[in-house]
């Protein structure tokens, strides 16, 4: 139960950070177009920003990032309960963090990119 609360708190905090400091500010929203997340999506899935409403796209990115970060933090915090040696725990945190982080980013961003690619083409 404690882990679910940790995940939920992390998810909410990260999403609120995006909402307050990126989505609600027009300048930050415009800067997101040149940001890493959106530029990679635009390049790989050939997205045209003129055909896409930016706020829903950035909100979806914010939810994705909040999910990814909250999941990795929660699983890494679970490792502390299982591994008593601090050095071994630190090494396992790095390994597990990257092993979780990279696939989660590729899978979730891939789904977002395909969704907006279909939406841009006029699909559902």
């Amino acid at each position: 139960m404690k882990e679910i609360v940790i995940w939920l708190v992390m998810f909410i905090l990260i999403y609120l950070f995006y909402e307050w400091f990126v989505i609600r500010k027009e300048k930050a929203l415009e800067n997101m177009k040149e940001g890493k997340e959106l530029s990679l999506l635009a390049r790989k899935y050939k997205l045209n920003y003129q055909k896409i409403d930016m706020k829903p796209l950035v909100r979806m990115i914010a939810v994705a990032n909040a999910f990814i970060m909250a999941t990795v933090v929660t699983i890494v915090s679970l490792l502390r309960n299982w591994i008593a040696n601090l050095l071994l725990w630190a090494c396992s945190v790095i390994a597990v963090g990257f092993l979780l982080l990279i696939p989660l980013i590729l899978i979730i961003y891939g789904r977002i990119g395909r969704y907006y690619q279909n939406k841009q083409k006029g699909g559902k």
Side-chain angles (χ1 to χ4, degrees):
M1 184 65 180
K2 181 179 127 181
E3 291 80 16
I4 294 172
V5 172
I6 290 172
W7 185 88
L8 192 59
V9 167
M10 289 296 299
F11 182 86
I12 291 170
L13 287 175
I14 294 166
Y15 179 77
L16 288 177
F17 178 82
Y18 268 94
E19 184 69 37
W20 289 331
F21 295 110
V22 177
I23 297 170
R24 292 182 185 231
K25 297 187 179 199
E26 290 299 321
K27 185 176 179 183
L29 197 61
E30 285 299 315
N31 289 340
M32 282 292 288
K33 289 180 182 178
E34 288 83 34
K36 296 252 188 275
E37 298 106 338
L38 293 182
S39 63
L40 288 173
L41 282 176
R43 219 173 322 143
K44 184 172 181 179
Y45 296 100
K46 297 172 181 49
L47 300 179
N48 184 356
Y49 292 136
Q50 283 73 31
K51 295 182 180 179
I52 298 173
D53 189 16
M54 284 302 290
K55 277 195 180 188
L57 174 61
V58 173
R59 275 202 175 96
M60 191 174 287
I61 295 291
V63 169
N65 286 343
F67 176 80
I68 291 167
M69 287 186 247
T71 302
V72 170
V73 167
T74 302
I75 291 175
V76 165
S77 70
L78 284 173
L79 289 176
R80 186 68 185 135
N81 297 338
W82 297 330
I83 302 173
N85 185 339
L86 186 62
L87 182 60
L88 183 61
W89 175 74
C91 292
S92 63
V93 163
I94 293 169
V96 170
F98 280 115
L99 288 174
L100 285 174
L101 194 62
I102 293 169
L104 279 174
I105 290 171
L106 292 174
I107 291 168
I108 292 173
Y109 276 67
R111 290 189 180 266
I112 292 170
R114 283 190 300 275
Y115 171 77
Y116 275 97
Q117 187 179 39
N118 288 337
K119 191 172 182 176
Q120 181 175 298
K121 289 179 182 176
K124 293 182 180 179

